[in-house]
Amino acid sequence: MSPSSLYSHHVLCSSIPLSKNVQSFFSAFCTEENIEQSISYLDQELTAFGFPSLYEESKDRDAKRELNIVAALNCMNELLVLQRKNLLAQENVETQNLKLGSDMDHLQSCYAKLKEQLESSRREMIGLQERDRQLQCKNRNLHQLLKNEKDEVQKLQNIIASRATQYNHDMKRKEREYNKLKERLHQLVMNKKDRKIAMDVLNYVGRADGKRGSWRTGKTEARNEDEMYKILLNDYEYRQKQILMENAELKKVLQQMKKEMISLLSPQKQKPRERADDSTTVLSDVEDDAGEVSRESVWDLSCAAVREQLTNSIRTQWRILKSHVEKLDNQVSKVHLDGFNEDDVISRQDHEQETEKLELEIQQCKEMIKTQQQLLQQQLTTASDDDTTSLLRDCYLLEEKERLKEEWSLFKEQKKNFERERRSFTEAAIRLGLERKAFEEERASWLKQQFLNMTTFDPQNSENVKLFSAFSGNSDRDTLTVHSRPRQRQPHSVCRRSPVSTSKLTKSLPTSPASDFGQTRSCASEHSSSNALNITHEEAKPNQVGRECLSQSRSLVPRPGSQEGCYNGCPLTCTNSHVEEDNLL
Amino acid sequence: MNFSEVFKLSGLLSKFSPDGKYLASCVQYRLAVREVSTLQILQLYTCLDQIQHIEWSADSLFILCAMYKRGLVQVWSLEQPDWHCKIDEGSAGLVASCWSPDGRHILNTTEFHLRITVWSLCTKSVSYIKYPKACQQGITFTRDGRYMALAERRDCKDYISVFVCSDWQLLRHFEADTQDLVGIEWAPNGCVLAVWDTCLEYKILLYSLDGRLLASYCAYEWSLGVKSVAWSPSSQFLAVGSYDGKVRILNHVTWKMITELAHPTTINNPKIIVYKEAEKNPKLGLGALPFAAPRAAARSLSTTETKYEVASMPVSLQTLKPVTDRANPRIGVGTMAFSPDNYFLATRNDNIPNAVWIWDVQKLRLFVVLEQLAPVRTFQWDPQQTRLAIGTGGGHVYLWSPAGCMSVQVPVEGELAQTGQLWAHWACLILGPHWPPTDPQARAAQGPQWLSDPVSLQVISTCSPCAGI
């Protein structure tokens, strides 16, 4: 029984879940017979992993190598730290795994959705393609039909044409026959002196014009021709006259229009003095032209001579008028835009100046806003320290946010767990308190009895011995004393603290699963059912994972038995504990 | 409006003299000439056979009575009742007879269109014109009566001969660029001759008096073409109605189309007035029993009073579905007439038979549509005023003027109106309120016909089943 083993007991109990499997494994690994081999094996293993050797450096080769407890403990500690680290890492990995799993799920669902979408779009596409194909088919059919129809039309036209020619041909043939017949008939009917064909008239009447009929001669022919041409000539003359009249009327209208245009345009010329020079010159030219043209003689001239001049002048005037009208239109629209309250049209300069002013104002306003913004930002940055700003900045990152959220939820879960544990613990504490009370009463009675029985013993000494017997075989006395002292006092003065300390102990364990608590609690309850000394013993019990300490404690069991004689009061408890140990193992 | 009493008539032969003073009417082989103002019989002539055709000479001095069956033409003088003239075409036969514009020559067309004989009443001379073409309108005289254009057919080609009417001298003879010429018509100024081809081809040719081809016009191909042609009185426009239901108006300067007047079946322009003839509510007296005789129902159209209503705007007109597999289908613009003042053009589209379309020539757009209850048979413009008379063959005459239109019921005695057969032998004459004209000279050659034509048409329509009697 070494104190280090006790320590290791403690540490192991706090760090590793005590499962029977592990213990059984350990038990399989090391038995009382093969301790040496186990130690050497472990030494080899550890040295292989870069740990210092478990054996003491001995000067003489022959001497049996001694187990260096310190090194072993160090190694153990190292291993434990490593284990803790690993656990931490494992936890991290697990959370990451969880996260990745959820990510995976999300992605899978996304993937499924997208797949579905793809499928549906593919279906749609196929549908559209099908429709397109159908339409194309239809189109082709229609084209075919159209072509057929066109062909048909062409054919029909050809047929019509051929029929027409055939018809014309037949007609001509028939007509020829008909003509022949007619000729024949004519010969038969007309050339024969038909008595019947005659006019029977009482007396010839005079001509309507009173003249006598004239003989048909070449002269009459010529006269007829003359007359015909005369008639035609008259007709043409009449038409020419009409055209001339029309022309004259149109000219008159034109002249009037011209005059009106000039009268309309000339006051305008005088009014806006600032107008460009060229327009005024054009106007004057036009006026000159107009003066020329408006002379009667010019009007009476044939059109060819004056036409060009006239059309040119009219064109220029028309252009001026058009531009003027357009200007007027613009003005009117402007007036409409500006509203009617202003009786005069705002000059362009004024307008531009105004717009410029407004633009300047806008610029100024913008600048002001900018400076204000800057100031605000500065204030903000000065108010908060760098960390918070960085945090704030980080907060803007969505990923970070999400991660934080997840962590937050994790924390929350943990918190909930903790709360639950605490609740159970408080319950347990309350129960313990009650039990303790009962126990204390019992103990008080017992102590009274004891006190009454053992008035001869030094109470301090006896207690020391008793504890020593409980944790026997420990070479490290300092640690023992350190450990034992509070324990010794427990039954007397600080006994109340014992459940609290156990709870504290469990709490201090960073990642103790609930099962551990259950175990400890059950232990506690077991102990509570037994005596107070049992508790102290059991406190160390979870730490008995270490093989050696167990073996040590076992091996050391008989020792208190040997000292039984001196300690009368505790054999019951000791055996109890041992029985329990056996059970546990 | 005043109405005369009813006169007996046969063969629908009743004509006003060109000066508007007299009215000639035939009953079997008798010809009666009445004075229009008094309606008293002035002369009564008896012909050799049943008269088939009568025609006044342009100076209103002579009346020509043709008896085609006998190949006979008899001419009567109004001034000299004893004067007589009989022209016998003998075995050559007779299919048509007409006056020359001077009123001293008679043009007789022999059977089979072998020739046209020109008989003169002044001299003994007889002229023959060979190869006249048998067609819709093969002879046309200029308005002043100076020239005659005649369509001829020689060696399967169409020719046109222009004769001087005063001495029947051939002035011009030229080949017409047509497949099968159907009609010729002088412009009112007598200087342009319009020639149109058979309905199989849309072709209008315009020849000058001296035989030059002025222009030719073709609106479309491969379809039935020209159906009717009309000159405007000013010779400015030539309206061409065709089988596609459109009127195309050509101008006299370039002879190009100015506008196309379509005859839509639905009218939706609020500027156009559509007058619809409607029956006045018949008075339900004691005689009008609910179970009226079918005969009464049949004649109801000719006896019930009708009125015009201005139709509200989207108007759809009654249309006939033409039978396209028969010759001369009832489609296209078949009748057209310019008003004498040149302002209006009246048309009838044959597959919308109940409607008369009156177009504003100045604006070249549709002005008024008159929709009758019965198919329109004929219409004629008043030579004096802007007034159109329309005959549908019922018991009504319809008058339209820019001021409005009205339906006039012809008063005939009940028993006459009831039986269609009696209608065949009687003619009723409508006399306008301004009749007779105060100045007979003012009434031009067409004057009296304005009133007589719808009337005679009315007779045609009702007596056609028994025309042979």
Side-chain angles (χ1 to χ4, degrees):
Chain A
M1 263 292 190
S2 65
S4 74
S5 79
L6 183 76
Y7 173 74
S8 70
H9 263 270
H10 266 282
V11 171
L12 282 172
C13 175
S14 61
S15 63
I16 296 167
L18 243 184
S19 67
K20 285 184 180 176
N21 293 343
V22 173
Q23 284 194 353
S24 65
F25 168 71
F26 284 139
S27 68
F29 175 69
C30 180
T31 52
E32 285 191 32
E33 292 90 46
N34 62 355
I35 288 170
E36 284 300 314
Q37 285 98 312
S38 323
I39 288 168
S40 69
Y41 173 74
L42 280 175
D43 180 54
Q44 271 171 24
E45 285 287 301
L46 285 168
T47 44
F49 279 115
F51 288 97
S53 172
L54 288 176
Y55 293 104
E56 272 176 49
E57 291 283 322
S58 57
K59 286 189 182 134
D60 49 341
R61 301 249 159 202
D62 304 331
K64 198 187 162 198
R65 288 198 299 182
E66 277 287 306
L67 176 74
N68 189 352
I69 304 285
V70 178
L73 285 174
N74 280 337
C75 276
M76 201 106 54
N77 190 36
E78 200 78 9
L79 281 168
L80 282 173
V81 167
L82 264 176
Q83 169 76 356
R84 206 171 296 170
K85 256 190 211 160
N86 284 341
L87 275 174
L88 222 103
Q90 189 195 348
E91 190 138 344
N92 279 343
V93 165
E94 267 171 11
T95 51
Q96 205 153 4
N97 196 20
L98 220 77
K99 217 158 64 185
L100 286 173
S102 71
D103 276 2
M104 187 81 169
D105 280 353
H106 175 68
L107 285 174
Q108 261 170 355
S109 71
C110 272
Y111 172 72
K113 223 187 284 173
L114 284 173
K115 212 172 173 183
E116 221 169 89
Q117 220 169 354
L118 182 73
E119 201 58 38
S120 72
S121 54
R122 199 170 280 165
R123 268 201 300 277
E124 207 174 322
M125 202 174 74
I126 286 165
L128 286 173
Q129 270 175 348
E130 177 60 24
R131 237 181 79 194
D132 187 48
R133 198 188 57 76
Q134 277 174 1
L135 284 176
Q136 265 180 356
C137 205
K138 213 168 156 190
N139 192 18
R140 221 172 298 131
N141 284 348
L142 284 175
H143 266 295
Q144 193 58 43
L145 274 177
L146 183 70
K147 213 180 138 198
N148 287 351
E149 288 298 314
K150 268 184 183 165
D151 287 354
E152 192 74 10
V153 164
Q154 192 59 45
K155 223 168 72 187
L156 285 175
Q157 266 180 354
N158 288 342
I159 288 170
I160 286 172
S162 67
R163 288 263 167 91
T165 49
Q166 183 65 37
Y167 166 77
N168 284 340
H169 183 77
D170 286 359
M171 275 289 284
K172 263 178 196 163
R173 202 162 48 83
K174 290 255 166 69
E175 209 174 322
R176 277 204 194 98
E177 280 172 25
Y178 172 61
N179 280 346
K180 258 187 226 162
L181 280 172
K182 249 170 134 179
E183 206 64 36
R184 193 68 187 276
L185 187 69
H186 200 259
Q187 275 173 6
L188 284 173
V189 174
M190 306 298 165
N191 288 359
K192 184 174 64 175
K193 270 286 171 196
D194 192 352
R195 292 266 162 226
K196 275 177 88 182
I197 298 177
M199 189 172 76
D200 169 29
V201 65
L202 188 70
N203 60 312
Y204 290 104
V205 294
R207 289 173 67 98
D209 51 7
K211 284 181 202 163
R212 288 188 60 193
S214 52
W215 293 106
R216 256 188 231 185
T217 54
K219 241 187 191 173
T220 54
E221 234 172 83
R223 208 188 60 224
N224 281 338
E225 286 272 311
D226 281 355
E227 255 174 43
M228 181 194 76
Y229 282 123
K230 228 191 219 163
I231 284 169
L232 277 180
L233 214 71
N234 279 342
D235 181 54
Y236 283 123
E237 267 179 10
Y238 171 73
R239 270 160 80 166
Q240 198 207 356
K241 234 179 245 170
Q242 277 202 323
I243 285 165
L244 269 179
M245 264 163 63
E246 211 175 293
N247 232 338
E249 251 166 60
L250 287 174
K251 266 182 190 170
K252 225 184 266 171
V253 169
L254 189 68
Q255 201 178 6
Q256 205 178 341
M257 261 171 62
K258 222 162 141 54
K259 265 184 196 162
E260 273 173 22
M261 261 209 269
I262 287 161
S263 66
L264 206 98
L265 289 170
S266 52
Q268 234 216 329
K269 182 195 85 183
Q270 286 149 8
K271 218 163 99 186
R273 280 284 165 201
E274 65 271 6
R275 198 172 272 183
D277 289 13
D278 53 350
S279 71
T280 54
T281 54
V282 164
L283 262 175
S284 61
D285 281 357
V286 165
E287 270 191 314
D288 289 350
D289 283 356
E292 239 175 86
V293 171
S294 61
R295 266 177 272 147
E296 288 299 313
S297 56
V298 179
W299 279 106
D300 287 342
L301 273 174
S302 77
C303 219
V306 206
R307 190 184 295 146
E308 209 170 320
Q309 203 184 347
L310 196 80
T311 47
N312 278 342
S313 72
I314 287 280
R315 257 183 215 146
T316 48
Q317 273 180 324
W318 178 244
R319 224 173 292 136
I320 290 162
L321 192 72
K322 206 171 137 189
S323 65
H324 178 60
V325 167
E326 271 169 9
K327 217 170 274 167
L328 280 176
D329 268 355
N330 280 344
Q331 277 183 358
V332 164
S333 62
K334 237 189 220 169
V335 165
H336 272 291
L337 277 174
D338 293 345
F340 290 102
N341 46 358
E342 284 162 319
D343 32 40
D344 237 323
V345 183
I346 296 170
S347 78
R348 198 184 205 125
Q349 259 190 333
D350 279 2
H351 184 77
E352 274 172 8
Q353 274 180 356
E354 196 69 24
T355 49
E356 256 173 54
K357 233 165 76 185
L358 283 169
E359 269 173 17
L360 217 80
E361 228 168 277
I362 286 168
Q363 201 66 32
Q364 281 174 352
C365 284
K366 270 186 184 167
E367 271 172 27
M368 198 177 267
I369 286 165
K370 219 179 239 173
T371 48
Q372 275 178 346
Q373 262 183 342
Q374 272 179 352
L375 279 172
L376 264 169
Q377 263 178 352
Q378 273 180 6
Q379 221 169 3
L380 265 170
T381 46
T382 47
S384 58
D385 57 338
D386 285 3
D387 287 357
T388 44
T389 49
S390 70
L391 250 174
L392 276 170
R393 217 174 296 136
D394 284 351
C395 276
Y396 287 114
L397 296 170
L398 232 150
E399 254 181 80
E400 205 87 357
K401 217 175 174 177
E402 216 152 320
R403 220 175 57 201
L404 280 172
K405 234 187 223 167
E406 259 173 66
E407 275 178 38
W408 177 247
S409 64
L410 221 84
F411 276 131
K412 256 189 176 169
E413 223 173 281
Q414 281 188 352
K415 198 183 158 192
K416 232 192 266 172
N417 280 342
F418 281 135
E419 218 131 17
R420 217 170 45 217
E421 283 162 27
R422 200 163 68 180
R423 222 182 302 131
S424 58
F425 256 98
T426 43
E427 273 169 35
I430 287 162
R431 233 176 320 154
L432 259 176
L434 285 169
E435 279 166 354
R436 193 169 46 97
K437 226 179 195 174
F439 169 68
E440 249 176 301
E441 274 168 15
E442 206 181 319
R443 197 186 53 143
S445 60
W446 182 74
L447 269 179
K448 225 189 247 168
Q449 231 178 339
Q450 191 93 330
F451 199 71
L452 287 171
N453 292 344
M454 300 169 67
T455 37
T456 50
F457 283 96
D458 187 353
Q460 184 110 23
N461 196 15
S462 71
E463 281 210 9
N464 261 336
V465 170
K466 181 186 77 188
L467 269 169
F468 201 65
S469 67
F471 305 107
S472 55
N474 233 328
S475 58
D476 205 322
R477 295 219 173 221
D478 295 332
T479 47
L480 177 76
T481 44
V482 167
H483 268 267
S484 60
R485 254 182 211 144
R487 307 262 181 264
Q488 331 175 306
R489 263 175 232 134
Q490 250 178 12
H492 302 288
S493 53
V494 221
C495 52
R496 252 182 222 182
R497 220 184 274 164
S498 72
V500 180
S501 70
T502 44
S503 73
K504 257 185 191 168
L505 189 71
T506 42
K507 257 189 193 172
S508 70
L509 294 171
T511 51
S512 56
S515 61
D516 277 14
F517 287 97
Q519 212 166 6
T520 42
R521 202 167 50 201
S522 67
C523 287
S525 57
E526 273 175 67
H527 302 318
S528 63
S529 62
S530 59
N531 47 40
L533 281 174
N534 221 351
I535 293 173
T536 50
H537 184 79
E538 286 301 318
E539 270 174 24
K541 198 172 73 184
N543 294 343
Q544 289 174 346
V545 196
R547 192 161 278 262
E548 34 193 342
C549 12
L550 274 172
S551 62
Q552 269 175 8
S553 63
R554 272 208 176 183
S555 60
L556 288 174
V557 165
R559 259 201 251 173
S562 64
Q563 289 176 349
E564 227 166 29
C566 24
Y567 314 118
N568 282 341
C570 55
L572 184 85
T573 55
C574 273
T575 48
N576 254 359
S577 77
H578 280 292
V579 168
E580 287 225 358
E581 267 180 27
D582 284 336
N583 286 346
L584 280 165
L585 288 168
Chain B
M1 188 164 283
N2 304 320
F3 290 90
S4 73
E5 57 190 283
V6 178
F7 303 124
K8 216 177 170 193
L9 187 72
S10 71
L12 318 170
L13 296 171
S14 150
K15 273 191 181 153
F16 286 98
S17 68
D19 62 3
K21 276 185 187 166
Y22 310 105
L23 174 71
S25 60
C26 297
V27 182
Q28 304 290 6
Y29 48 87
R30 272 199 297 275
L31 172 72
V33 177
R34 289 180 166 85
E35 219 172 344
V36 164
S37 51
T38 58
L39 290 171
Q40 294 299 309
I41 292 180
L42 200 71
Q43 295 291 343
L44 198 66
Y45 307 100
T46 307
C47 292
L48 291 168
D49 201 350
Q50 189 170 343
I51 301 162
Q52 280 175 288
H53 175 70
I54 58 168
E55 190 175 330
W56 285 90
S57 69
D59 53 8
S60 305
L61 291 174
F62 299 97
I63 308 168
L64 171 158
C65 299
M67 288 141 277
Y68 294 138
K69 277 189 218 161
R70 294 271 295 258
L72 270 179
V73 171
Q74 281 191 297
V75 186
W76 306 102
S77 165
L78 218 60
E79 286 179 329
Q80 299 167 273
D82 298 335
W83 187 85
H84 62 90
C85 170
K86 189 187 85 180
I87 301 165
D88 194 343
E89 285 293 341
S91 50
L94 183 67
V95 290
S97 180
C98 69
W99 284 101
S100 77
D102 65 354
R104 296 293 180 274
H105 295 85
I106 291 164
L107 286 83
N108 284 342
T109 309
T110 61
E111 257 181 312
F112 307 110
H113 286 77
L114 284 176
R115 67 180 182 194
I116 287 172
T117 323
V118 183
W119 301 92
S120 171
L121 299 183
C122 312
T123 61
K124 253 187 158 173
S125 69
V126 180
S127 313
Y128 298 103
I129 304 167
K130 258 183 107 177
Y131 311 116
K133 178 158 187 175
C135 61
Q136 189 189 350
Q137 193 177 347
I139 291 181
T140 175
F141 296 98
T142 55
R143 203 58 66 87
D144 59 4
R146 246 184 235 259
Y147 300 103
M148 180 185 84
L150 179 75
E152 295 176 3
R153 186 79 176 178
R154 295 180 191 182
D155 302 329
C156 307
K157 277 179 194 155
D158 290 318
Y159 291 89
I160 289 162
S161 298
V162 180
F163 292 94
V164 182
C165 289
S166 57
D167 51 8
W168 302 107
Q169 202 163 18
L170 183 68
L171 185 69
R172 280 290 182 274
H173 179 77
F174 51 88
E175 194 185 327
D177 188 18
T178 50
Q179 280 285 326
D180 181 17
L181 186 149
V182 160
I184 50 174
E185 171 87 41
W186 283 110
N189 64 6
C191 291
V192 183
L193 181 72
V195 176
W196 61 97
D197 208 341
T198 174
C199 63
L200 296 175
E201 259 183 279
Y202 194 112
K203 198 169 199 179
I204 290 276
L205 298 167
L206 292 145
Y207 288 98
S208 166
L209 178 60
D210 54 355
R212 282 178 299 129
L213 178 66
L214 294 174
S216 96
Y217 175 75
C218 173
Y220 53 84
E221 282 178 298
W222 304 115
S223 186
L224 291 180
V226 179
K227 191 162 195 185
S228 57
V229 171
W231 280 100
S232 80
S234 63
S235 311
Q236 257 186 324
F237 304 114
L238 178 67
V240 183
S242 51
Y243 279 92
D244 64 345
K246 282 176 182 168
V247 173
R248 291 174 177 81
I249 291 181
L250 313 182
N251 73 75
H252 76 309
V253 180
T254 60
W255 301 110
K256 297 253 170 64
M257 192 185 74
I258 310 173
T259 189
E260 211 175 64
L261 308 175
H263 293 68
T265 51
T266 48
I267 293 152
N268 205 5
N269 189 344
K271 282 182 181 170
I272 299 163
I273 305 162
V274 179
Y275 293 107
K276 235 179 171 143
E277 191 192 2
E279 277 183 44
K280 271 187 191 169
N281 283 337
K283 285 163 203 156
L284 285 169
L286 287 168
L289 292 164
F291 301 104
R295 199 173 53 182
R299 67 171 156 75
S300 66
L301 204 79
S302 56
T303 53
T304 52
E305 280 188 63
T306 61
K307 60 176 180 179
Y308 277 110
E309 282 170 354
V310 177
S312 55
M313 228 343 117
V315 182
S316 53
L317 304 167
Q318 274 191 329
T319 53
L320 269 182
K321 201 155 169 70
V323 187
T324 43
D325 56 349
R326 292 256 189 92
N328 301 316
R330 277 197 186 178
I331 49 166
V333 180
T335 323
M336 288 188 297
F338 277 96
S339 72
D341 60 3
N342 235 343
Y343 284 132
F344 297 102
L345 169 69
T347 62
R348 192 192 74 156
N349 191 1
D350 290 349
N351 53 341
I352 311 174
N354 290 12
V356 177
W357 311 66
I358 297 166
W359 308 80
D360 188 336
V361 174
Q362 277 180 306
K363 292 171 187 162
L364 290 171
R365 63 175 184 83
L366 190 58
F367 186 56
V368 166
V369 177
L370 300 163
E371 197 184 14
Q372 310 295 137
L373 287 170
V376 175
R377 303 293 175 104
T378 188
F379 48 78
Q380 196 164 12
W381 289 96
D382 185 340
Q384 299 279 297
Q385 325 172 22
T386 309
R387 200 157 62 148
L388 184 75
I390 300 159
T392 64
H396 299 84
V397 169
Y398 308 95
L399 296 172
W400 174 86
S401 73
C405 54
M406 60 181 192
S407 158
V408 182
Q409 188 170 20
V410 180
V412 272
E413 284 163 43
E415 64 266 28
L416 285 178
Q418 275 175 14
T419 55
Q421 285 187 338
L422 279 175
W423 272 94
H425 309 288
W426 298 86
C428 65
L429 306 173
I430 307 162
L431 300 178
H434 303 298
W435 198 258
T438 46
D439 182 11
Q441 292 306 112
R443 292 256 162 190
Q446 280 190 354
Q449 281 172 353
W450 176 69
L451 282 172
S452 65
D453 234 19
V455 174
S456 62
L457 182 100
Q458 207 172 25
V459 176
I460 288 166
S461 65
T462 44
C463 74
S464 47
C466 48
I469 296 167

